[in-house]
Amino acid sequence: MELLTFVTAGSVDDGKSTLIGRLLYDTESITEDQIEAVARSSTRMGLEETNLALLTDGLRAEREQGITIDVAYRYFSTSRRKFIIADAPGHVQYTRNMVCGASVADLALLLVDVRAGLTEQTRRHAFLLSLLGVPHWLIAVNKMDLVDYRQSDFDRLREECSRFMTRLRVPDLAFIPISALRGDNVVTPSDTMDWHHGGTILDHLETVHIRSDRNMVDARFPVQYVVRPRSDDFHDYRGYAGQVAGGVFRPGDEVLVLPSGMSSRVESIDTAEGPIDEAFPPMSVTLRLTDDLDVARGDLICRPGNHPVITQDVDAMVSWMDSTPVQPGARLVLKHTSRSVRAQLREIVYRVDVNSLHRQNTDSLGANDIGRIKLRTAQPIMCDDYARNRTTGSFILLDPNTNRTVAGGMVDTRTQD
């Protein structure tokens, strides 16, 4: 059964957790024990109705404040698909958590309060979703019950969102008017919005086409681990374990190992269930090569005539996550696929104003700033343009002293040699 991963995004109090709670409740994806626990919590909080948002707001601080802090992952399935939900926080100070949830999403479910419209944080989330290359967007115009389900209010907000989205890279965009609290157009079509003919949230999640989203052309295999059992049964076994990041690998294929430049052929592709005839994203497999090469964690296996850029000079867009601002000259650790290298921030080219999308000159980036930078790494990395491959085109930056993640980045190879 096909798997769809989607992230909820939007400003605080736009109803993200309530929508996910309603989706889980109406698809009967939660147990009676969970429902009873949420009902008891709602009663203790003095609420007249069961607060379905508590199904995803699992931290005590989240329940006390009525906000989402960490990314909450939930799983459910229907007869048509399996789903992983990343319920991302809306508060500006937790933007970094939203980036984590959206980085692997097939679809973004962006909630907008029909009364408030596009807030600064909604625009920030939309811009980040665009940078992160999430291929499918669904704008859920929420709280329609508070404006008496008027079509004119929905049309006004859809026009406002469309004007802003045209300035971003959004390949697939859809709008649905909903009331997450009442369940209108979430799983069941709304009787009060018969003017809407576009289906429900669940209809869209079950039918959106995602099979062509992954890069099946550029063969990429970052090596995570060298498998050497050294047992009597597998005395001479040498395999390279990892997750396929692009393209298709088959036994007999000629391959190139980077950064060494050595070539070989795929002898076999092994899994826990046994050998297979081909491997493609996002399968985790072990490749065996016909030649005994020196291949280590952090190396990348690709095709001789189709390989990524090998560079030490990295141009990228980054979302700075740390509370301590960064300036040119800062020394960092860049983690790209399974490879970690030392890096230095050489230049901050500009910062982006998330409201106007204008570029601003700056000599530093602070928490939640989005900007373009230039990095110099101590050893080369093998990267693709992020728009071409979200795995080999992304990285994170770490503080070398604390090992704390301070930024997430997206490579732009168009300026690379």
Side-chain angles (χ1 to χ4, degrees), residues 174-185:
F175 293 86
I176 297 179
I178 68 166
S179 169
L181 184 64
R182 303 301 176 191
D184 294 278
N185 284 340

Side-chain angles (χ1 to χ4, degrees), residues 2 25 114 126-127 150 153 163 179 197 216 220 227 247 310 337 346 356:
E2 192 172 50
Y25 182 81
V114 67
F127 185 53
R150 288 189 297 268
D153 290 79
R163 286 197 305 269
S179 169
H197 305 290
M216 303 297 285
R220 304 288 187 265
V227 181
I310 306 172
T337 62
R346 299 179 62 189
S356 65

Side-chain angles (χ1 to χ4, degrees), residues 95-160:
T95 299
R96 59 186 180 273
N97 295 356
M98 176 268 174
V99 172
C100 296
S103 62
V104 295
D106 301 304
L107 179 143
L109 182 52
L110 182 63
L111 270 75
V112 183
D113 187 329
V114 67
R115 303 165 303 164
L118 284 176
T119 65
E120 178 180 347
Q121 183 65 350
T122 306
R123 293 170 186 265
R124 178 180 283 107
H125 276 195
F127 185 53
L128 283 168
L129 291 170
S130 173
L131 285 178
L132 290 165
V134 180
H136 305 281
W137 293 31
L138 175 58
I139 311 298
V141 180
N142 194 23
K143 304 189 181 180
M144 290 296 297
D145 55 308
L146 300 183
V147 295
D148 297 325
Y149 301 101
R150 288 189 297 268
Q151 182 179 358
S152 58
D153 290 79
F154 170 73
D155 290 341
R156 171 189 53 79
L157 187 52
R158 180 172 60 181
E159 178 62 26
E160 180 187 359

Side-chain angles (χ1 to χ4, degrees), residues 315-328:
D315 285 9
M317 294 293 296
V318 296
S319 173
W320 190 257
M321 303 175 181
D322 199 51
S323 57
T324 303
V326 67
Q327 295 179 330

Side-chain angles (χ1 to χ4, degrees), residues 70-113:
D70 199 5
V71 179
Y73 291 95
R74 293 294 182 267
Y75 311 88
F76 77 103
S77 63
T78 66
S79 60
R80 305 183 70 174
R81 261 183 183 158
K82 294 181 180 180
F83 301 94
I84 298 177
I85 315 168
D87 182 22
H91 274 270
V92 62
Q93 69 194 91
Y94 303 121
T95 299
R96 59 186 180 273
N97 295 356
M98 176 268 174
V99 172
C100 296
S103 62
V104 295
D106 301 304
L107 179 143
L109 182 52
L110 182 63
L111 270 75
V112 183
D113 187 329

